[in-house]
Amino acid sequence: MIQTTKTLDWDKYLKTAAQVVSEGIVMLKNEHQALPLKPHEEIALFGRIQFHYYKSGTGSGGMVNVSKVTNIVDGLQESGIKLNQELLDVYHKWDNENPFDLGDGWGKEPWSQKEMPLEDSLAARAAKRCQTAIAVIGRTAGEEQDNSLTEGSFLLSSDEKQMLTTVRRHFSKMIVLLNVGNIIDMNELLEIAPDAILYVWQGGMTGGTGTADVLTGKISPCGKLTDTIAKHVEDYPSAPYFGNPVRNFYSEDIYVGYRYFETFAPDKVLYPFGFGLSYTTFQIKTNDITELSDKWDFIITVTNTGSCSGKEVVQIYCEAPQGKLGKPVRVLCGYEKTNTLSPGESQTVTISVSKTQTASYDDSGISGHAHCFILEEGDYHFYVGTDVRHAVKTYTCTQNGTLVISSHQQALAPVEAFERIKPVLSTDGYEPQMEPVPLSEVDETKRRLENLPKEIPFTGDRGIRLCDVRKGTHTMEEFIAQMTDYDLACVIRGEGMNSPRVTAGTASAFGGVSQELEALGVPCGCCDDGPSGMRLDCGTKAFSLPNGTMMACTFNRTLLTELFALTGLEMIANKVDCLLGPGMNIHRHPLNGRNFEYFSEDPYLTGTIASAQLHGLHQSGVTGTIKHFCGNNQETNRHDTNGVISERALREIYLKGFEIAVKEGHADSVMTTYGPINGVWTAGSFDLTTQILRNDWGFTGFTMTDWWANINRRGQAVDKSDFAAMAITQNDVYMVCAIGAENDDNILASLENGTLQRSELQRNAANICRFLMNTQAMARLEGTETKIDIINRPADESDVDESSVKFYELDGNLTINLEDICTDKGTNHSFGLDIKTMGKYRMTLTASSTQSEVAQIPVTLFSLGTAYGTFTWNGTNGLPVSFEADIPLFSKYTNLRLFFAQGGLKMHSITFELISTEL
């Protein structure tokens, strides 16, 4: 057995993540030399979020347990900035008296927090000592709820407006930091007229460090907007349809974000796509352009013409001829970020623009090339600059005749009639007119049958193990031939959450989920959330990464590859094989609650940023699962809302990023969505997971459903037990079942009645095993796994050792004795439940304290990483006092955790009583 050892330097991890934060911050405004802050200047800091920095959103994209989050106060003070002490003291006192509201369960977190009413006299006193004020506005984001056009959500709250206007009135210089997951309304903020505005996003556990580096001028801001900021929410073309709980027509078609605004409504834009200010200035000069058979190479020199060092992002946009299809007037087709350039320094970059990226998809046949990506005849204009609005026309190429880039079959097209917009030339540019959308003409049953694989004859166990396939001594077909029908039924079941087969607190085990599969040498792979770092529900601490939007705003693929190579090492240390990310859905509308996990309104940027992250994970020997495939663009009723989308919009917008991640990022794991696209839930969509993903793109990895996803067949109701409907589409693993070795699904019955072919299950099994045999899970089984030596990581006595988590069997009622657990301030106590009957349980938590009657000793209960209540004891004279709460327990293996924010409590017991089997 040969093992290798790699080193994860925690200091390097922190430094790299902080660099991502600094490069992802987007400065929208900087007047009157408000920034950078002057050395030795005392700063007045306002807003309670200065202490409660939002490191990420919530849900699977953000539930990372951390040892420390460097907030705005920490970051500034560690950078040597002096903060007004009276303000700090007042905010600390008010914050302690008005505890941070965690919400009361999954998807129920408040979008913002109560803000301290700012007294005019306090601001006036601070202004006598400080010329410059910084105000921090915060928003979370997350699964199961969308943003809303209300105060404290997309709009400023009344307390926030009062705070900001008071600060503006008293200070000569005012800076606003937006610690948010997604863009918010800018109109009220611009009316208040701060001197500087920065989107500092949600920067993970190093957010305060990276933010301070920008504010102090250590790093010049160089982030660029990945979304268009319009004047009003109703200006976005998807606004009439977004949020519909039943059916969501994508009538804006390919005209998403800047594609719409630059084509039809440039006057409705506040800040264009790609925009972002710097402390310095740059000159961009295009030196040469060379056309090759499949691409154009642009050679461009960037010179720092300002007075401080900085980086710039060169962006190239294409304006294709309108032709018969109609096109946006700008499409991002290439970009590159420079190195740090000193004043007067230049760098020459080469940006290759693929003709694939400038092609359009004909879903109607109007061009004479139905279901093809084509370059229509005419002039192709290229614009080079630093954002979509200010890029300058640099080159024109004439296409003589129509060039077919790639040919396809109709797939995933709508079955319901609707209309979409198309540009029509007017006196003032282009106006949108409506045209009917081509509908599907595909016989889906026939397509499936035409793609049936040949059955591998059953041989029984011949002693061939999966490692033999990896070594090349036997073929995958010979190995799969040994699997019984029962084995094939088991291997497509993921087990979780919190399966004891893999790392405690993770999302699922997959592969070797039965004794029989283990005997064949199939390892258990471990999947874990998510895009912002590892979510370990048992309480184990991990590294919290900046959110997806912030990472994309860096436009720095090299830096993101470096960061995710470090994340990959951390995954290996925690025996995690698949990180459930990156999230790749398009920012179709600014109110989508999950935009923070995703990158951009642009599919090319989305695909290339995802590829950079995947390259980093792959360098370390692990991988990511690109998700949610595809069209997960709102959280409202996300399990059931039908996305009605044209094939062209799917191919050019909502699938394009995934295609890039597969072809350029070598993605080998894909997760489908919860909801339906064009009438079929994606968990069982043959066109999606076989015709497009595998047949068109050449994907050879494995696919999985989202957790407890709905499944249906065309024209039939949802049936979560219809695993056969999933398997026949080559969606390989259902995530998740309580027990992989036994489950109430229809696989064996479908084999018996002939509606599912054994060859289809063999194909699923081969996809899964082909993936697993090259993972660390396989290496662990063979004793050849990579060992990770973590250095420079500070000790954390509150961390949870996942190997020490004890599971208790819960069969209706259970009392756990907690007399001997440690309840010191800042500690956690984690335990697991093996639940026999899922349902709603009444939890009773009993404790006592000998502290004074006015003591406040809060304890927060987390289930699967989500806070389900904070219970505060006062002194009890040593007598037991109980609190109750009703909590849903829906996963067979559930990790729970008690967090003790203060010491002085004696725990006695926790009791669970089943009150309802309905969740």
Side-chain angles (χ1 to χ4, degrees):
M1 295 187 295
I2 300 176
Q3 292 183 333
T4 59
T5 299
K6 296 182 179 180
T7 299
L8 172 57
D9 185 339
W10 206 257
D11 284 345
K12 182 180 179 182
Y13 207 175
L14 290 167
K15 182 178 179 180
T16 305
Q19 182 73 25
V20 170
V21 172
S22 296
E23 294 202 22
I25 288 173
V26 179
M27 185 165 69
L28 297 182
K29 182 181 181 183
N30 187 27
E31 296 178 350
H32 310 124
Q33 297 181 319
L35 288 171
L37 300 176
K38 294 178 175 58
H40 314 301
E41 179 185 7
E42 184 174 323
I43 302 298
L45 187 57
F46 294 89
R48 78 172 305 176
I49 299 303
Q50 63 184 282
F51 302 128
H52 298 283
Y53 180 84
Y54 283 113
K55 64 181 176 62
S56 66
T58 63
S60 59
M63 296 166 60
V64 182
N65 303 308
V66 297
S67 298
K68 178 188 177 183
V69 174
T70 301
N71 60 36
I72 300 298
V73 173
D74 298 332
L76 288 171
Q77 291 182 331
E78 290 169 9
S79 296
I81 296 297
K82 182 180 180 181
L83 301 178
N84 182 269
Q85 192 60 49
E86 182 186 6
L87 271 178
L88 284 176
D89 292 342
V90 170
Y91 270 104
H92 266 302
K93 183 176 184 296
W94 185 89
D95 190 63
N96 288 333
E97 294 169 351
N98 296 268
F100 191 90
D101 184 3
L102 294 172
D104 57 356
W106 180 268
K108 297 180 181 178
E109 301 87 353
W111 222 251
S112 63
Q113 296 291 317
K114 179 182 178 182
E115 184 56 75
M116 184 185 84
L118 179 58
E119 294 181 3
D120 197 75
S121 59
L122 177 62
R125 289 197 302 276
K128 289 181 180 180
R129 295 180 56 90
C130 310
Q131 283 191 329
T132 301
I134 298 174
V136 186
I137 300 295
R139 295 288 185 274
T140 190
E143 291 190 59
E144 298 288 357
Q145 60 173 330
D146 283 317
N147 207 337
S148 61
L149 196 59
T150 57
E151 290 192 358
S153 186
F154 191 73
L155 306 176
L156 295 174
S157 71
S158 56
D159 283 341
E160 288 170 336
K161 285 185 283 189
Q162 184 268 338
M163 182 257 289
L164 292 170
T165 53
T166 301
V167 171
R168 176 71 287 182
R169 187 165 59 250
H170 286 282
F171 288 85
S172 59
K173 293 181 181 179
M174 177 186 178
I175 301 157
V176 174
L177 307 181
L178 299 175
N179 173 207
V180 296
N182 188 29
I183 60 175
I184 63 172
D185 177 73
M186 298 299 295
N187 291 292
E188 291 174 326
L189 189 56
L190 290 174
E191 288 176 7
I192 294 168
D195 300 284
I197 304 173
L198 298 90
Y199 271 98
V200 301
W201 308 114
Q202 296 164 341
M205 62 191 287
T206 62
T209 303
T211 301
D213 285 346
V214 167
L215 296 177
T216 60
K218 180 180 178 181
I219 295 176
S220 178
C222 54
K224 303 292 183 176
L225 286 175
T226 61
D227 296 309
T228 304
I229 299 181
K231 292 179 179 178
H232 305 286
V233 163
E234 55 267 27
D235 293 333
Y236 292 88
S238 58
Y241 318 101
F242 176 82
N244 189 303
V246 178
R247 183 182 296 103
N248 204 320
F249 289 108
Y250 284 54
S251 291
E252 74 279 7
D253 208 52
I254 63 170
Y255 299 93
V256 179
Y258 72 85
R259 285 168 163 81
Y260 171 82
F261 289 108
E262 299 305 309
T263 305
F264 300 114
D267 59 319
K268 294 183 178 180
V269 174
L270 281 176
Y271 297 100
F273 177 90
F275 178 82
L277 297 175
S278 172
Y279 295 149
T280 188
T281 56
F282 297 92
Q283 180 187 69
I284 295 176
K285 179 183 178 183
T286 303
N287 303 321
D288 189 35
I289 301 151
T290 303
E291 182 178 4
L292 303 173
S293 61
D294 60 344
K295 65 176 182 176
W296 296 271
D297 284 340
F298 288 73
I299 301 175
I300 299 167
T301 297
V302 182
T303 302
N304 184 341
T305 58
S307 58
C308 67
S309 298
K311 295 184 178 184
E312 183 58 282
V313 178
V314 182
Q315 303 164 38
I316 302 179
Y317 297 87
C318 178
E319 179 185 7
Q322 287 297 311
K324 297 179 179 179
L325 294 176
K327 319 281 194 325
V329 299
R330 298 289 186 277
V331 171
L332 179 70
C333 54
Y335 67 91
E336 191 64 55
K337 194 166 199 172
T338 68
N339 301 326
T340 300
L341 301 178
S342 301
E345 185 179 3
S346 298
Q347 179 183 350
T348 299
V349 298
T350 299
I351 302 177
S352 294
V353 175
S354 169
K355 291 186 177 179
T356 299
Q357 182 54 27
T358 62
S360 301
Y361 188 80
D362 182 357
D363 61 356
S364 68
I366 191 172
S367 71
H369 302 279
H371 314 300
C372 294
F373 275 101
I374 61 174
L375 296 183
E376 286 197 271
E377 181 177 16
D379 291 337
Y380 287 75
H381 305 293
F382 292 89
Y383 299 77
V384 177
T386 58
D387 66 64
V388 68
R389 180 63 56 86
H390 300 101
V392 177
K393 185 190 294 187
T394 304
Y395 175 68
T396 298
C397 171
T398 301
Q399 173 64 41
N400 297 313
T402 298
L403 175 65
V404 176
I405 299 296
S406 59
S407 300
H408 306 272
Q409 296 179 23
Q410 188 184 49
L412 207 62
V415 297
E416 184 173 357
F418 72 110
E419 292 185 318
R420 64 183 176 191
I421 63 175
K422 181 179 181 178
V424 175
L425 190 62
S426 69
T427 55
D428 297 320
Y430 291 100
E431 292 181 353
Q433 289 193 3
M434 306 305 290
E435 67 171 8
V437 174
L439 301 182
S440 176
E441 300 177 356
V442 173
D443 184 331
E444 294 167 320
T445 300
K446 180 182 177 182
R447 172 169 282 174
R448 174 220 163 192
L449 295 175
E450 289 174 346
N451 281 269
L452 279 179
K454 183 179 180 181
E455 183 174 335
I456 305 168
F458 177 64
T459 63
D461 189 351
R462 296 174 52 207
I464 303 169
R465 299 298 175 254
L466 187 56
C467 63
D468 297 323
V469 181
R470 186 177 57 79
K471 294 172 184 175
T473 57
H474 288 277
T475 66
M476 182 63 75
E477 289 73 20
E478 290 175 315
F479 174 72
I480 297 296
Q482 303 173 111
M483 290 188 178
T484 65
D485 289 353
Y486 171 73
D487 294 333
L488 294 170
C490 290
V491 79
I492 67 169
R493 300 171 183 151
E495 181 176 286
M497 297 179 66
N498 300 300
S499 169
R501 295 179 181 273
V502 290
T503 302
T506 54
S508 80
F510 66 98
V513 296
S514 70
Q515 291 182 351
E516 291 80 0
L517 290 168
E518 288 179 355
L520 287 170
V522 179
C524 254
C526 178
C527 283
D528 194 37
D529 290 325
S532 295
M534 288 184 296
R535 166 190 170 187
L536 301 168
D537 285 347
C538 62
T540 302
K541 305 295 177 62
F543 198 102
S544 175
L545 301 166
N547 74 15
T549 300
M550 169 165 260
M551 287 192 278
C553 286
T554 69
F555 279 68
N556 192 331
R557 288 168 282 193
T558 300
L559 180 61
L560 294 178
T561 296
E562 292 174 4
L563 177 63
F564 275 80
L566 297 167
T567 299
L569 296 178
E570 187 192 11
M571 289 169 60
I572 296 173
N574 286 274
K575 298 181 175 61
V576 171
D577 306 294
C578 268
L579 192 68
L580 298 176
M584 297 185 59
N585 294 103
I586 295 297
H587 292 180
R588 179 185 178 225
H589 192 278
L591 295 185
N592 180 20
R594 219 162 172 184
N595 278 351
F596 78 99
E597 279 189 59
Y598 308 142
F599 299 131
S600 173
E601 67 189 22
D602 182 79
Y604 176 69
L605 182 62
T606 292
T608 52
I609 293 294
S611 295
Q613 294 184 5
L614 291 171
H615 290 320
L617 295 175
H618 295 165
Q619 283 178 17
S620 293
V622 292
T623 196
T625 299
I626 57 175
K627 65 178 188 180
H628 302 87
F629 191 55
C630 68
N632 189 66
N633 303 118
Q634 74 175 43
E635 290 300 293
T636 301
N637 201 32
R638 61 178 175 158
H639 294 270
D640 297 300
T641 301
N642 184 27
V644 186
I645 315 174
S646 78
E647 189 189 7
R648 183 181 182 188
L650 285 165
R651 296 274 193 176
E652 289 190 27
I653 305 294
Y654 300 102
L655 290 168
K656 178 58 71 173
F658 290 95
E659 180 182 5
I660 293 169
V662 168
K663 292 180 176 179
E664 298 181 13
H666 309 295
D668 50 9
S669 176
V670 176
M671 183 199 298
T672 52
T673 71
Y674 278 128
I677 297 295
N678 292 326
V680 176
W681 271 255
T682 61
S685 173
F686 187 92
D687 272 2
L688 183 65
T689 52
T690 293
Q691 183 61 36
I692 292 173
L693 180 63
R694 299 180 190 275
N695 294 351
D696 281 359
W697 300 349
F699 178 77
T700 57
F702 91 110
T703 57
M704 64 181 76
T705 70
D706 207 336
W707 269 232
W708 307 289
N710 289 335
I711 313 170
N712 84 319
R713 300 172 191 246
R714 172 73 69 190
Q716 297 184 18
V718 163
D719 181 358
K720 286 190 177 183
S721 69
D722 191 1
F723 283 22
M726 174 198 77
I728 64 176
T729 68
Q730 214 171 167
N731 201 351
D732 298 309
V733 177
Y734 186 84
M735 296 292 188
V736 284
C737 306
I739 303 175
E742 55 184 73
N743 189 63
D744 184 19
D745 57 55
N746 66 347
I747 290 296
L748 294 176
S750 298
L751 283 173
E752 186 173 343
N753 65 29
T755 56
L756 170 66
Q757 300 300 307
R758 181 175 160 83
S759 64
E760 292 173 299
L761 284 177
Q762 289 175 327
R763 180 174 59 187
N764 296 131
N767 292 338
I768 297 162
C769 291
R770 190 183 307 112
F771 173 86
L772 279 168
M773 72 180 185
N774 294 307
T775 62
Q776 286 290 314
M778 190 75 199
R780 291 193 296 271
L781 190 66
E782 296 182 303
T784 60
E785 72 271 25
T786 301
K787 299 294 185 181
I788 303 299
D789 182 16
I790 301 179
I791 62 173
N792 297 321
R793 184 176 187 176
D796 183 354
E797 294 182 358
S798 69
D799 201 358
V800 175
D801 179 4
E802 59 91 9
S803 64
S804 68
V805 176
K806 181 178 179 180
F807 274 78
Y808 299 87
E809 185 176 292
L810 173 56
D811 192 2
N813 297 279
L814 172 67
T815 297
I816 301 173
N817 189 319
L818 300 177
E819 295 276 353
D820 297 327
I821 71 169
C822 176
T823 63
D824 292 346
K825 180 179 178 179
T827 60
N828 293 276
H829 176 70
S830 293
F831 59 96
L833 297 177
D834 180 352
I835 303 169
K836 302 304 178 185
T837 303
M838 266 67 85
K840 183 175 288 186
Y841 282 77
R842 180 149 299 147
M843 183 280 306
T844 304
L845 196 58
T846 303
S848 62
S849 174
T850 57
Q851 294 193 4
S852 73
E853 292 183 359
V854 296
Q856 298 179 35
I857 314 171
V859 178
T860 302
L861 172 71
F862 293 85
S863 175
L864 294 177
T866 297
Y868 275 89
T870 297
F871 313 98
T872 302
W873 278 262
N874 305 115
T876 69
N877 292 320
L879 299 175
V881 172
S882 299
F883 288 94
E884 291 183 348
D886 294 344
I887 63 172
L889 297 176
F890 52 85
S891 179
K892 176 175 173 57
Y893 300 109
T894 296
N895 273 111
L896 292 100
R897 174 168 56 95
L898 298 172
F899 173 69
F900 301 96
Q902 296 291 339
L905 200 63
K906 170 72 174 178
M907 297 303 303
H908 293 282
S909 64
I910 185 168
T911 297
F912 299 91
E913 176 188 1
L914 180 65
I915 58 175
S916 173
T917 56
E918 294 185 4
L919 290 167

